[in-house]
Amino acid sequence: MKKIAILGSTGSIGTQTLEIVREQKDIQVTAIAAGSNIELLEQQIREFLPSLAAVWEEEKANELRIKTADLNVKIVSGMEGLLEIATEPESEILVTAIVGMLGIRPTIAAITAGKTIALANKETLVTAGHLIMPLAKKHHVQILPVDSEHSAIFQSLQGEQENRIHKIILTASGGPFLGKNREELKNIQVEDALKHPNWSMGKKITIDSSTLVNKGLEVMEAKWLFDVKPEQIQVTVHPQSVIHSAVEFEDGAVIAQLGTPDMRLPIQYALYYPNRRSLSGKRLDLFELSSLTFKKPDTETFCGLSLAFTAMERGGNIPTVFNAANEKAVAMFLDRKISYLAITDIIEACMNQIDIIKHPTLEQVLDTEQAVYEFIESRW
Ligand code: NAD
Ligand code: MG
């Protein structure tokens, strides 16, 4: 039996991870954490019988303790709870499927405890990659990508250990507003932005996909995972989401991974790496595809992507500024407090406002997040 813990078990990635557990039957879930959905969390506890579960608020934890009094499960809460889930002694793999910088401390704790990381929580690498990658190396811990593009790159790199990457081709669906100009985006409402053409995901990443900020975060995620320079990453808009990404080697050979858009494949690949397992669901049928198309991203309209490249090139705590500003702005947009285009305006304003720290410590990364939040609250 493989033993895993999941941060964010009730979300899009978390529930799909549990679908794999249900289908494969040889994975034991030892610990799960969720934000506030204790109804679903209780169901998951009853089905998968972890020994440890966490919810964010202590009040909800108390409610859950009462609901699960008949079971042998310890319920914890808050950041301490997440750290306990991340380091639960029995588990070998931690699936990081929570959203945002909240994942940094649990990910660091899990690495220090020697757990393999199946990483979905890209915000953690974007903001603390300079701390996490060396720490993983020090503890001989593997960080296995769950993000579909990064899994595709990782799969394309198998057997190529001795060969240098010439270029990474990171594909982007382009999101629901592909082809629109800024004028047409002025009045976009929350409902419009939550409709992704190819993937069904959590709210925050769905908004990020529509602004191309998600692709910007993924460029930085790729930099850390595959140790490449900004100029080695090329974003290509590929609306069919069939080629999940590709690697070009020095001889010009391009190796890609293709498939139907189904997050269970990259999740399962990370859980069983380096082995592959059978997976239910629709298979890619090339005869069903009329065409595969590719074009350059429109970074004038979707300036979140160019801001991400700027943040990556400036380095230090600036990716944290980019990410924290986006996290806050997306939450405000979802609360209908700001307009759609204000999301990237806010990111840009924060990047101009906050002072650069070249080699931020964990504390400085978290302080930067706080400074960004305070700046946004004072201005918007
Ligand atoms: P989601 O919103 O569907 O799920 C988030 C999960 O985190 C939920 O279980 C929620 O309860 C939990 N959570 C939130 N706040 C918490 C807290 N304070 N304490 C404990 N748990 C908390 O998000 P998602 O779409 O599954 O995305 C998760 C991560 O994976 C993100 O970083 C996202 O960028 C990345 N990702 C997602 C997809 C996808 O297809 N959904 C694809 C690639 C990468
Ligand atoms: Mg992705």
Side-chain angles (χ1 to χ4, degrees), residues 17 20 37 69 76 110 128 154 172 293 363:
T17 304
I20 292 164
N37 185 350
V76 292
F154 185 61
T293 58
E363 203 171 28

Side-chain angles (χ1 to χ4, degrees), residues 122 147-150 205 214-215 218:
K122 64 192 84 182
D147 212 346
S148 58
E149 296 78 0
H150 305 75
I205 183 175
N214 181 54
K215 210 47 57 181
E218 291 186 354

Side-chain angles (χ1 to χ4, degrees), residues 63 94 123 178 233 261 270 336:
E63 268 182 64
L94 177 69
E123 297 90 346
L178 179 62
I233 307 174
R336 297 168 205 276

Side-chain angles (χ1 to χ4, degrees), residues 7-14 16 33-37 56 82 96-100 102 120-123 146-148 199-203 205 214 218 263:
L7 294 177
S9 65
T10 57
S12 163
I13 295 290
Q16 293 181 87
S36 58
N37 185 350
W56 187 247
L82 291 185
T96 64
I98 51 176
V99 188
L102 191 66
N121 176 223
K122 64 192 84 182
E123 297 90 346
V146 166
D147 212 346
S148 58
W199 301 94
S200 154
M201 311 177 283
K203 280 187 184 168
I205 183 175
N214 181 54
E218 291 186 354
M263 282 310 294

